[in-house]
Amino acid sequence: MHTHILFEHPLNEKMRTWLRIEFLVQQLNSNLPIVDHASALHFFRNVGDLLDVFERGEVRTELLKELERQQRKLQQWSEVPGVDQHRIDALRQQLKASGSVLMTAPRVGQVLREDRLIGLVRQRLSIPGGCCSFDLPTLHIWLHSPQSTRDAQVARWLESLQPMNQALNLILDLVRNSAPFRKQTSLNGFFQDNGEDADLLRLQLALDAQLYPQISGHKSRFAIRFLPLDSENGIVPDRLDFELACC
């Protein structure tokens, strides 16, 4: 049985930002609880990256616009004969509720941005080895405080991201499920097609091929070049089958 790898590639700036946020939030949650310097630095580095992403654009505005757009798309779907009306209504209610919560929540990342400990650690992260105990005695003492105290503080920080997370997960779920995978074939390691206003390309490739896709393009047109993992000795077959979804 072949193992397949899923690659996702954004076709516009908002989707690029959303995938980065999703990735960073997953990283935030992957090394909990914080028990030592290693797990603390993993957490704080990802918080810092997340705040950098938030500072580059209007995350809340873009998410609210997308929640509206998805509601309009569902409205169109509801007029298609034979569609599951209950499912459509439930999704529209979820989108609406998520939009209301996000609209009344504080600015995305505000709680993290205003936290003194996060601010102190963030300042030192760009310095090689700058989070030693003599550089950051506040972090050192925090790491010696009771586990329950640390856990509660981390939970508060993560809770502050919930309104954004909920909206983002809903949107990405709808986008990812908006198009089925279809079998495609590349010739001499190359494939191109029209994006038809897609936001996201999803590509499944057999692991044993030892190839990876290099994707370029935007919502109206894209090109995929398949390259060998071993750039010296790897071989790209004349014809390569893969699965592709334009979402």
Side-chain angles (χ1 to χ4, degrees), residues 1-7 181 183 203-209 211 240-244:
M1 189 173 161
H2 293 303
T3 302
H4 282 77
I5 304 179
L6 173 67
F7 294 89
F181 280 101
K183 187 182 157 194
L203 188 154
Q204 291 200 104
L205 195 56
L207 175 61
D208 57 12
L211 300 168
L240 174 75
D241 290 340
F242 62 98
E243 302 257 317
L244 184 70

Side-chain angles (χ1 to χ4, degrees), residues 184-193 203 205 209-216 222-229 234-242:
Q184 306 287 1
T185 305
S186 75
L187 302 175
N188 300 314
F190 187 73
F191 179 86
Q192 63 179 3
D193 203 356
L203 188 154
L205 195 56
Q210 289 292 286
L211 300 168
Y212 65 91
Q214 197 174 64
I215 302 170
S216 59
F222 63 87
I224 305 170
R225 193 170 289 286
F226 292 94
L227 300 168
L229 194 56
I235 295 164
V236 179
D238 296 343
R239 296 174 70 84
L240 174 75
D241 290 340
F242 62 98

Side-chain angles (χ1 to χ4, degrees), residues 190-203:
F190 187 73
F191 179 86
Q192 63 179 3
D193 203 356
N194 296 323
E196 293 164 6
D197 266 359
D199 290 309
L200 179 70
L201 285 186
R202 308 185 81 217
L203 188 154

Side-chain angles (χ1 to χ4, degrees), residues 59-64 67 97-106 108 162-168:
V59 175
R60 178 172 25 200
T61 309
E62 286 294 338
L63 287 172
L64 286 168
L67 288 169
S98 185
S100 302
V101 171
L102 185 61
M103 208 177 279
T104 54
V108 176
Q162 262 314 95
M164 176 209 67
N165 268 344
Q166 191 187 22
L168 185 62

Side-chain angles (χ1 to χ4, degrees), residues 16-247:
R16 186 173 285 114
T17 299
W18 293 345
L19 291 180
R20 284 183 175 144
I21 291 172
E22 181 190 46
F23 171 76
L24 288 167
V25 171
Q26 285 169 352
Q27 294 300 306
L28 275 185
N29 288 285
S30 70
N31 249 7
L32 297 178
I34 294 175
V35 292
D36 52 20
H37 258 92
S39 51
L41 292 183
H42 171 90
F43 182 86
F44 287 114
R45 183 162 275 115
N46 283 294
V47 168
D49 287 351
L50 200 52
L51 289 174
D52 286 345
V53 174
F54 292 159
E55 277 153 25
R56 284 192 207 126
E58 282 300 313
V59 175
R60 178 172 25 200
T61 309
E62 286 294 338
L63 287 172
L64 286 168
K65 279 200 294 204
E66 188 64 23
L67 288 169
E68 284 284 328
R69 188 172 82 105
Q70 291 292 345
Q71 282 187 67
R72 287 197 300 275
K73 279 173 83 170
L74 287 170
Q75 175 64 45
Q76 290 164 2
W77 270 105
S78 69
E79 289 153 20
V80 176
V83 78
D84 184 345
Q85 201 63 50
H86 288 300
R87 177 97 177 104
I88 298 260
D89 289 344
L91 281 169
R92 284 179 69 193
Q93 282 307 313
Q94 277 181 286
L95 289 166
K96 208 170 174 178
S98 185
S100 302
V101 171
L102 185 61
M103 208 177 279
T104 54
R107 188 171 163 227
V108 176
Q110 190 175 335
V111 170
L112 305 177
R113 206 175 283 105
E114 291 172 354
D115 189 272
R116 183 170 172 270
L117 180 61
I118 288 173
L120 286 168
V121 177
R122 204 176 164 201
Q123 282 171 5
R124 309 293 307 178
L125 281 169
S126 57
I127 301 162
C131 296
C132 288
S133 59
F134 60 84
D135 280 309
L136 271 176
T138 36
L139 177 63
H140 191 62
I141 197 165
W142 188 71
L143 285 170
H144 282 81
S145 60
Q147 185 68 48
S148 58
T149 306
R150 270 202 311 282
D151 289 349
Q153 190 157 11
V154 170
R156 279 197 300 277
W157 288 334
L158 293 176
E159 184 61 34
S160 74
L161 295 172
Q162 262 314 95
M164 176 209 67
N165 268 344
Q166 191 187 22
L168 185 62
N169 290 339
L170 254 176
I171 288 166
L172 289 178
D173 205 38
L174 283 167
V175 170
R176 285 173 173 137
N177 287 306
S178 67
F181 280 101
R182 292 199 169 92
K183 187 182 157 194
Q184 306 287 1
T185 305
S186 75
L187 302 175
N188 300 314
F190 187 73
F191 179 86
Q192 63 179 3
D193 203 356
N194 296 323
E196 293 164 6
D197 266 359
D199 290 309
L200 179 70
L201 285 186
R202 308 185 81 217
L203 188 154
Q204 291 200 104
L205 195 56
L207 175 61
D208 57 12
Q210 289 292 286
L211 300 168
Y212 65 91
Q214 197 174 64
I215 302 170
S216 59
H218 43 79
K219 63 183 181 179
S220 54
R221 190 143 190 81
F222 63 87
I224 305 170
R225 193 170 289 286
F226 292 94
L227 300 168
L229 194 56
D230 180 348
S231 56
E232 302 269 313
N233 309 304
I235 295 164
V236 179
D238 296 343
R239 296 174 70 84
L240 174 75
D241 290 340
F242 62 98
E243 302 257 317
L244 184 70
C246 293
C247 305

